[in-house]
Amino acid sequence: MTEIIRVQDVMLKEVLSIDGMASAKEAAAMMKKSGVSELLVSKRDEDDAWGIVTVMDIIRGVLVAERDAETVFVYEIMTKPVITLPAQMDIRHAIRLLDRVGIRRAPVDDQGEIVGMVTLFSVIMNADVL
């Protein structure tokens, strides 16, 4: 029997977050400095949902739209709510879910707390899935 690889086994443990009121320029600078292609967007309060902003969101919402990155807020271009993956989920099921909904990354949830980020790239780089 094949050993089950869990989402928590391949997730990136460092998850950077940004406030929705930050500018797209600030988000891009944070991504560039940290070498990531996504940022979790903080909840406004306990009843709010997490958001996510990606490089593609910035490209579509700022560059393609020919808008000023300093005047576009993250909340205008982010995706919210995000689909989260349970830390204990079998990675094979997680990959199928990401594929079905057409996304490349998802925050990892462990009992209501975001503990990591899974990207399709992190799966290929960190798991013996092939």
Side-chain angles (χ1 to χ4, degrees):
M1 185 169 157
T2 305
E3 178 184 343
I4 294 176
I5 299 169
R6 308 257 179 226
V7 167
Q8 67 187 6
D9 299 330
V10 298
M11 71 182 185
L12 306 170
K13 291 179 175 69
E14 184 177 357
V15 180
L16 299 176
S17 64
I18 193 164
D19 189 274
M21 292 300 294
S23 70
K25 184 171 186 149
E26 291 171 299
M30 187 179 219
M31 289 177 189
K32 183 178 179 180
K33 180 180 177 186
S34 303
V36 298
S37 59
E38 71 282 322
L39 299 170
L40 199 61
V41 181
S42 304
K43 293 179 175 185
R44 290 174 295 180
D45 56 54
E46 191 60 37
D47 297 321
D48 197 12
W50 291 101
I52 194 167
V53 63
T54 68
V55 168
M56 284 307 299
D57 294 328
I58 294 171
I59 289 170
R60 287 184 186 122
V62 178
L63 297 177
V64 172
E66 297 182 1
R67 295 176 69 195
D68 182 355
E70 290 183 18
T71 63
V72 175
F73 295 105
V74 167
Y75 76 82
E76 296 177 79
I77 59 173
M78 71 181 180
T79 299
K80 183 177 179 176
V82 294
I83 293 174
T84 59
L85 300 173
Q88 292 295 319
M89 181 181 247
D90 184 321
I91 195 63
R92 294 171 299 178
H93 301 303
I95 291 168
R96 286 185 200 117
L97 175 61
L98 295 178
D99 181 56
R100 279 201 186 116
V101 297
I103 59 175
R104 298 181 190 144
R105 62 191 52 81
V108 179
D109 179 277
D110 188 16
Q111 299 179 9
E113 181 180 336
I114 301 297
V115 296
M117 182 76 68
V118 163
T119 67
L120 294 179
F121 185 74
S122 71
V123 170
I124 295 299
M125 296 305 293
N126 298 307
D128 189 16
V129 293
L130 300 177

